[in-house]
């Protein structure tokens, strides 16, 4: 059943870009996921998430007692700079490049926090950290290392432990161009059973006239004292982070309150009330929408109206792998987002990435087709803090090629690469960029490194008043993918930014040309305001037609599809399911110029994503619709 409404208007259709302000975050793990294990996987994941409207990723950087980035601190303390699974690589560095290329912010996630190891409750306890520094251990009243739910713990009250964690946080924000940091249910945290190690006891006695701490670990005053020590540390971390860069956000995803306080001394209420955290992401990890809604209402009550803008619930999208994995349903996902928005909650964070890709990308595509169909600014930024990078291919419209180059059958960033062995005559590629705003930029080159390539690729980087030259070893196999050449300040407008030439090419070697990329350097240009619009505010309808997205979306069972014709055309609108099977022909016939509205009735269809396809003359266009019953 359908009805047709003709809107009599032949005036140009004005399309106004409206960018929502929402927090859309995803945790990137190194467990039950392959994202971090190759640079190609990282690039593909960031591309997909950007297409789904995600604007923040939370990649793990402290897990299993090791860092997932190259850490000089871990190397000096434990003789190993990175998790053994990532020897020879730096996943955090690559995630930052690929995320920022796609306009996504990055907040490193210190997952293990004050936990030293996962023993599973089986001795020996503590792992390599407590083996070297046994005085760091959190101990129970019987003197044993505190182990809870399989995790072995350091004492979060011990100044040496605090300094260790602080040094890792500082190392990350100083050495990497990140946008914030993220702490979760193990930081700051301390199992309620702990606090009887000699260091913690000595501090307590010093502050209580020599009195011993209560032997009953649930004693109210004893709980409060330890919780306050964690709060003091958190306030200090905020000062540390904001002192290094006030633009960095502090995100917290604790266990649900008050359970988190009663079991792990996580005083999330104080974190909110004292303005310690910028983003409050309680782990509302529930397996049904009814349970999620119950916890959501409690979280909203906890933050109070004055801090509702900081609340972004944690949603359990996926956990585990294989046949035992849990993946939430599309109906549950949409119900959760509908509840969030109806209550004024403007964002959420998902655990974890793999849930987006399960069941043929069902949940990721659902978000893309519905609530995340438009790009969103991260709250409190006031602009698109990380605009998408500008990329110029070696043979693109803004590149000038000189000399004798050949196309070589090796895939570069997009398409095939170019190479030359010419030494007698000049061969060069000049890259120009339409620089969108005056700022500091990082200039990257895309490398396909191979042993026959030159060790002396000669690059010239052009700034506003001078130029700098660089010699790059294109044969270095460790430099595959995007590699930063340098930072440069550029005024807005069309600029020649980079030149590659053969002036230092060795005999018998190849000089290779591929894409170049400009990304804003936020450490050097924090004040630049970036406005990003999908469409110009004065854009008129194109010749042919415009197909508008359906509304409402999600829908049940009726939804309206609008289309506009600038001239008379034969129009056909068909709805398909995700398997490409035709569901219904909504419209078919001749239509005069004008704007039309047609209704699609999905009575009798199953919940899920459907594709609306329109053909008008020589044009075609598709979009996704979500039926939710």
């Amino acid at each position: 059943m359908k009805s047709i409404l003709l809107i009599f208007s032949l005036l140009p259709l004005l399309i106004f870009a409206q960018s929502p302000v929402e927090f859309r975050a995803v945790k990137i793990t190194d467990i039950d996921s392959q994202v971090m294990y190759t640079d190609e996987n990282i690039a593909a994941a960031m591309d997909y998430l950007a297409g789904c409207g995600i604007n923040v990723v939370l990649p793990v950087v402290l897990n299993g007692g090791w860092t997932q980035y190259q850490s000089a601190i871990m190397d000096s303390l434990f003789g190993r700079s990175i998790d053994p699974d990532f020897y020879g690589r730096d996943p955090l560095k690559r995630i930052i490049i690929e995320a920022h290329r796609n306009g996504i912010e990055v907040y490193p996630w210190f997952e293990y926090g004050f936990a030293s190891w996962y023993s599973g409750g089986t001795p020996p306890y503590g792992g390599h950290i407590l083996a070297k520094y046994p005085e760091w251990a959190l101990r129970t009243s019987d003197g044993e290392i505190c182990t809870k739910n399989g995790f072995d713990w350091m004492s979060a009250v011990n100044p040496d432990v605090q300094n260790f964690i602080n040094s890792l946080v500082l190392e990350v924000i100083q050495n990497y161009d990140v946008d914030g940091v993220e702490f979760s249910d193990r930081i700051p945290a301390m199992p309620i059973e702990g606090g009887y190690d000699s260091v913690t006891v000595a501090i307590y006695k010093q502050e209580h006239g020599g009195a011993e701490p209560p032997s009953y670990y649930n004693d109210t005053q004893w709980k409060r004292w330890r919780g306050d020590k964690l709060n003091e540390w958190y306030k200090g971390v905020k000062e540390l982070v904001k002192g290094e860069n006030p633009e960095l956000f502090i995100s917290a995803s604790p266990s649900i309150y008050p359970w988190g306080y009663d079991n792990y001394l996580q005083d999330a209420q104080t974190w909110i009330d004292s303005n310690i955290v910028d983003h409050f992401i309680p782990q509302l990890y529930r397996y049904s929408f009814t349970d999620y809604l119950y916890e959501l209402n409690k979280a909203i009550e906890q933050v109070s109206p004055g801090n509702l803008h900081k609340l972004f619930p944690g949603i359990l999208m996926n956990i585990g792998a294989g046949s035992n994995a849990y993946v939430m349903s599309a109906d549950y996902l949409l119900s959760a987002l509908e509840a969030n928005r109806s209550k004024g909650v403007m964002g959420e964070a998902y655990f974890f990435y793999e849930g987006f890709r399960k069941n043929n990308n069902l949940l990721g595509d659902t978000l893309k087709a519905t609530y995340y169909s438009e790009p969103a600014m991260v709250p409190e930024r006031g602009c698109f803090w990380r605009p998408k990078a500008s990329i110029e291919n070696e043979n693109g419209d803004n590149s000038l090629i000189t000399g004798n180059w050949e196309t070589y059958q090796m895939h570069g960033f997009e398409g095939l690469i170019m190479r030359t062995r010419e030494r007698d005559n000049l061969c060069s590629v000049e890259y120009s960029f339409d620089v969108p705003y005056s700022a500091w930029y990082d200039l990257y080159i895309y490398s396909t490194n191979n042993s026959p390539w030159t060790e002396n690729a000669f690059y010239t980087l052009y700034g506003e008043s001078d130029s700098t030259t660089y010699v790059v070893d294109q044969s270095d196999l460790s430099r595959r993918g995007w590699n930063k050449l340098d930072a440069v300040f550029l005024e807005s407008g069309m600029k020649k930014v980079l030149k590659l030439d053969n002036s230092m090419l060795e005999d018998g070697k190849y000089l290779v040309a591929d894409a170049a990329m400009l990304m804003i350097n936020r450490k050097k240009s924090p004040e630049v305001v970036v406005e990003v619009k999908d469409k110009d505010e004065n854009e008129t309808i194109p010749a042919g037609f415009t197909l508008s997205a359906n509304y409402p979306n999600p829908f049940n069972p009726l939804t309206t599809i609008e289309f506009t014709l600038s001239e008379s055309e034969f129009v056909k609108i068909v709805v398909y399911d995700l398997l490409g099977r035709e569901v219904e022909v909504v419209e078919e016939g001749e239509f005069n110029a004008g704007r039309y509205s047609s209704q699609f009735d999905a009575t009798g269809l199953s919940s899920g994503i459907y594709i609306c396809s329109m053909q008008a003359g020589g044009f075609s266009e598709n979009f996704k619709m979500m039926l939710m019953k």
Side-chain angles (χ1 to χ4, degrees):
M1 179 179 179
K2 60 186 179 181
S3 59
I4 304 173
L5 171 65
L6 172 60
I7 303 174
F8 289 96
S9 174
L10 301 182
L11 297 176
L13 175 64
L14 300 182
I15 304 173
F16 295 92
Q18 294 182 344
S19 298
V21 179
E22 294 181 352
F23 186 78
R24 306 169 177 176
V26 179
K27 288 195 170 181
I28 308 295
T29 73
D30 60 344
I31 304 296
D32 294 331
S33 174
Q34 294 300 309
V35 170
M36 297 177 65
Y37 287 87
T38 71
D39 293 350
E40 293 79 8
N41 288 352
I42 290 172
M46 296 306 110
D47 287 346
Y48 181 76
L49 290 176
C52 293
I54 295 301
N55 56 16
V56 174
V57 291
L58 312 171
V60 63
V61 293
L62 180 61
N63 196 10
W66 300 110
T67 55
Q68 286 69 52
Y69 68 92
Q70 294 287 352
S71 171
I73 292 169
M74 294 296 289
D75 192 33
S76 66
L77 294 178
F78 305 106
R80 182 178 290 171
S81 63
I82 196 168
D83 187 318
D85 286 342
F86 302 111
Y87 277 151
R89 297 181 57 244
D90 191 330
L92 177 59
K93 177 182 177 181
R94 189 56 51 183
I95 286 174
I96 290 170
I97 292 173
E98 302 296 352
H100 288 174
R101 173 174 65 84
N102 279 289
I104 297 174
E105 297 191 14
V106 179
Y107 308 165
W109 168 30
F110 292 81
E111 181 181 7
Y112 254 49
F114 288 106
S116 66
W117 188 250
Y118 183 82
S119 65
T122 302
Y125 301 130
H128 56 276
I129 294 179
L130 296 187
K132 183 171 183 179
Y133 298 102
E135 67 276 14
W136 289 8
L138 179 70
R139 296 191 181 271
T140 57
S141 58
D142 59 5
E144 298 297 323
I145 293 176
C146 187
T147 296
K148 189 166 184 173
N149 291 331
F151 288 93
D152 311 336
W153 286 78
M154 301 178 283
S155 172
V157 177
N158 187 322
D160 290 338
V161 175
Q162 292 181 350
N163 289 335
F164 167 59
I165 297 297
N166 290 357
S167 68
L168 296 180
V169 173
L170 190 61
E171 182 177 50
V172 166
I173 64 178
Q174 286 181 338
N175 294 346
Y176 297 86
D177 188 15
V178 299
D179 306 289
V181 293
E182 208 272 350
F183 303 120
S184 57
D185 52 351
R186 286 186 286 274
I187 179 170
M190 175 189 288
I192 190 70
E193 298 84 357
Y196 297 94
D197 54 281
S198 60
V199 175
T200 302
V201 169
I203 295 173
Y204 181 88
K205 291 172 68 174
Q206 182 180 10
E207 296 181 5
H208 292 84
E212 295 281 345
S215 58
Y216 178 49
Y217 60 75
N218 255 321
D219 178 86
T220 301
Q221 178 269 333
W222 176 223
K223 283 174 63 178
R224 185 69 271 157
W225 183 84
R226 288 173 291 167
D228 285 344
K229 289 300 181 185
L230 268 61
N231 293 342
E232 289 175 14
W233 175 82
Y234 216 172
K235 291 176 184 177
V237 166
K238 177 185 177 181
E239 294 173 0
L240 178 74
V241 172
K242 298 290 186 178
E244 189 69 25
N245 185 346
E247 303 294 341
L248 298 181
F249 284 144
I250 297 176
S251 297
S253 57
S255 299
I256 292 174
Y257 187 85
W259 186 91
Y261 178 68
D262 292 336
N263 288 272
Y264 288 93
L265 300 166
Q266 288 200 302
D267 186 11
Q269 192 65 57
T270 295
W271 306 350
I272 300 166
D273 296 342
S274 300
N275 200 34
I276 295 175
V277 298
D278 298 299
H279 305 138
F280 179 53
I281 312 170
Q283 295 183 11
L284 309 189
Y285 294 172
R286 295 296 181 264
Y287 293 95
S288 73
F289 172 67
T290 300
D291 291 340
Y292 173 84
L293 184 61
Y294 173 78
E295 297 295 348
L296 174 64
N297 288 330
K298 286 175 57 180
I300 291 172
E301 181 180 354
Q302 178 187 3
V303 300
S304 74
N307 285 311
L308 186 61
H309 64 285
K310 292 185 176 182
L311 175 61
F312 309 111
I315 294 178
L316 181 62
M317 181 178 275
N318 172 218
I319 190 168
S323 59
N324 295 323
Y326 163 78
V327 183
M328 74 186 310
S329 69
D331 287 349
Y332 176 5
L333 174 63
L334 290 170
S335 296
L337 267 67
E338 181 180 11
N340 290 350
R341 298 301 179 270
S342 69
K343 296 175 182 295
V345 174
M346 304 309 294
E348 39 281 318
Y350 301 96
F351 186 90
F352 61 108
Y353 168 78
E354 296 301 325
F356 279 69
R357 308 307 297 265
K358 295 291 178 65
N359 301 322
N360 195 29
N361 304 330
L362 175 62
L363 297 182
D365 287 355
T366 296
L367 290 173
K368 179 180 179 180
T370 56
Y371 286 92
Y372 293 1
S373 60
E374 298 294 332
M377 293 185 291
V378 174
E380 305 301 314
R381 285 296 189 202
C383 71
F384 280 86
W385 181 250
R386 289 292 179 184
K388 290 185 178 182
S390 299
I391 298 176
E392 293 296 339
N393 289 310
E394 70 281 7
N395 54 2
D397 294 339
N398 293 327
S399 298
L400 177 62
I401 300 174
T402 302
N404 183 27
W405 295 82
E406 66 174 0
T407 299
Y408 183 64
Q409 296 297 314
M410 176 181 283
H411 191 72
F413 175 68
E414 289 181 347
L416 303 178
I417 64 173
M418 296 194 318
R419 69 178 189 177
T420 184
R421 298 179 69 175
E422 179 70 58
R423 298 180 66 226
D424 296 331
N425 299 297
L426 175 66
C427 291
S428 66
V429 179
E430 295 181 359
Y431 301 82
S432 294
F433 288 83
D434 188 2
V435 180
Y437 33 82
S438 301
W440 280 92
Y441 292 87
D442 291 328
L443 189 284
Y444 289 81
I445 53 177
Y446 195 83
S447 303
T448 59
N449 309 78
N450 202 356
S451 54
W453 296 175
T454 178
E455 297 178 12
N456 298 296
F458 192 75
Y459 289 90
T460 304
L461 178 59
Y462 299 95
E464 286 301 315
S465 58
D466 59 3
S467 62
T468 308
T469 60
Y470 307 83
V471 178
V472 174
D473 183 358
Q474 293 186 336
S475 68
D476 182 355
L477 300 181
S478 68
R479 290 177 53 85
R480 292 184 184 274
W482 291 110
N483 290 276
K484 181 178 174 180
L485 196 62
D486 208 342
V488 60
F489 183 83
L490 298 170
E491 298 284 353
S492 60
M494 184 61 70
K495 306 283 183 180
K496 181 175 76 170
V497 177
L498 182 68
K499 180 180 179 180
L500 166 68
D501 69 54
N502 63 340
S503 57
M504 296 183 65
L505 180 60
E506 316 95 302
D507 187 26
K509 295 287 187 176
Y510 287 97
L511 177 68
V512 175
D514 203 11
M517 174 171 68
L518 279 182
M519 290 200 300
I520 188 171
N521 184 312
R522 275 303 185 186
K523 286 191 173 183
K524 292 189 173 185
S525 292
E527 77 290 346
V528 175
V529 176
V530 181
E531 296 181 358
V532 178
K533 297 179 180 179
D534 282 345
K535 298 182 180 180
D536 184 78
E537 292 183 353
N538 296 314
E539 182 181 354
T540 60
I541 61 174
F545 74 92
T546 297
L547 176 61
S548 301
N550 64 305
Y551 64 90
N553 194 22
F555 67 97
N556 178 29
L558 303 177
T559 190
T560 300
I561 302 167
E562 288 190 350
F563 61 97
T564 305
L565 301 174
S566 58
E567 57 188 40
S568 297
E569 292 285 4
F570 180 86
V571 173
K572 185 175 183 179
I573 301 178
V574 184
V575 174
Y576 299 90
D577 65 17
L578 282 178
L579 297 178
R581 296 174 298 198
E582 183 178 298
V583 173
E584 181 178 331
V585 177
V586 181
E587 299 293 351
E588 186 172 20
E590 290 285 345
F591 287 82
N592 295 324
R595 186 175 179 183
Y596 297 84
S597 177
S598 183
Q599 195 172 77
F600 172 59
D601 186 344
T603 300
L605 298 177
S606 300
S607 296
I609 297 175
Y610 293 85
I611 309 298
C612 180
S613 175
M614 176 175 178
Q615 295 178 334
F619 301 91
S620 64
E621 192 169 345
N622 302 314
F623 64 78
K624 296 176 181 178
M625 309 185 297
M626 170 58 65
L627 172 62
M628 185 179 69
K629 293 185 174 181

